[in-house]
Amino acid sequence: MPLGSLGVAAQALTALVNLSIFLAYGTTAAVARQLGAGNRQAAIRQGIDGLWLAAAIGVVVLAVGVPFAVPIIGVFGGTPAVSAGGVTYLRISLLGAPAMLAVLAGTGVLRGLQNTRTPLIVSVAGNAVNVALNATFVLGLHWGIAGSAWGTVIAQNLAAAAYLAMVALGAREAGVTLGIDLTGLKAAARAGGALVIRTLALQAVLVAATAMAARDGNAAIAAHQVAYRLWTLLALALDAIAIAGQAITGKYLGAGDIEGTRAATRRMVRWGVGCGALFGALLLLARPWLPGLFAAAPPVRQLLLAVLLIVALMQPIAGVVFVLDGVLIGAGDQNYLAVVGLAATAVFGIAAVVVVATDAGLIGVWLAITAWVAARFVTLTTRARGSRWLVTGAVRR
């Protein structure tokens, strides 16, 4: 039951907070463009605007999420026991929402400044603290799912404090004030609008998939939770190339170097395909032992083994999708990403209707996710072959 509760609540929290992922992605691209054009002060100022926007959105997420935790979890249709644990986890975890958004914005600032090492250090340290706190609260103090949530909240706030300190230091060195710039704040919000639509489309797919799995019973949602976490782990590994794509593309285009942008994109796509194929092969090799690692019951094991086969075979295509998504974000091509994001979600919707109508279960859910990834692959590769996204200068118009 705790695994199912964690799966439902974590998906709900991700959907609420990741609507603001543009704080990292948009900030990275904007800061990198200014840096490429030689405007370091303007780059840092845009990063500070992103942090203020993160603070405002974090307060809204917290104010809306806590009182509506019960209906939010209810959307997933889990059993009463799963839903009760999910509400507990969500309400506590939302206390870390402002810090989580500050981490997104702070990460975007440093990545845009071509500093990827510091975010790595903060991420590793934050996760180490999170693991230690979860072990203490869950295993030592026996706080259960609430202890897991509190450990995450504390780790998120510590990470946010680290980013704020680093950005403040950089601003002081560059002679940039930390106060609110309403004009810059509004500009950051407008620039993020298309990325919000893109993220809404993406989150709609993931939320719908979790809801479909939850309605298939406890075994299905447990297997889905494990498969989704492993898929996310591989996605984050592939996303490392995409994040580099955001920073590199923004800097090259800011400097007016179209040929450098093209060459970097080709290299990153090759890395995406290669890493995707490697991750898929490793997952296939580890697949027989993974259910035991998660102490999966026999019904969960059977479903998980089937789903992991689909996840593994999807990886090479996913590698290209993640890389080109990052490249186009770095190019500031948010409007295109919003439109094709909605189109890919429609493809998933059609596949989901077929899954429900044919009672295809959890395997059908993951085949629908595969169709969604394939639709994104087609639309992103088509765009990358063209030239309309190759806009140079400090600000994309």
Side-chain angles (χ1 to χ4, degrees), residues 45-143:
R45 180 66 255 176
Q46 288 200 327
I48 293 171
D49 293 337
L51 283 166
W52 279 113
L53 185 59
I57 295 173
V59 171
V60 173
V61 169
L62 183 59
V64 172
V66 172
F68 289 97
V70 173
I72 289 171
I73 294 297
V75 169
F76 295 91
T79 64
V82 168
S83 295
V87 170
T88 297
Y89 187 91
L90 180 61
R91 281 179 169 161
I92 297 172
S93 294
L94 282 170
L95 298 176
M100 189 183 301
L101 297 182
V103 168
L104 289 175
T107 300
V109 176
L110 295 184
R111 287 173 179 166
L113 294 172
Q114 313 298 296
N115 180 355
T116 56
R117 180 176 298 177
T118 301
L120 172 63
I121 293 172
V122 174
S123 179
V124 170
N127 280 291
V129 171
N130 196 355
V131 169
L133 290 173
N134 284 353
T136 301
F137 295 157
V138 177
L139 302 178
L141 300 178
H142 304 290
W143 288 1

Side-chain angles (χ1 to χ4, degrees), residues 309-375:
L309 181 60
I310 299 172
V311 174
L313 296 177
M314 194 194 310
Q315 293 311 301
I317 296 176
V320 177
V321 168
F322 288 127
V323 167
L324 290 182
D325 193 57
V327 167
L328 294 180
I329 289 173
D333 203 19
Q334 294 97 329
N335 290 338
Y336 180 81
L337 291 173
V339 172
V340 299
L342 293 173
T345 300
V347 170
F348 172 83
I350 294 170
V353 170
V354 174
V355 169
V356 173
T358 59
D359 196 23
L362 186 62
I363 294 174
V365 171
W366 277 90
L367 289 175
I369 292 174
T370 303
W372 169 64
V373 173

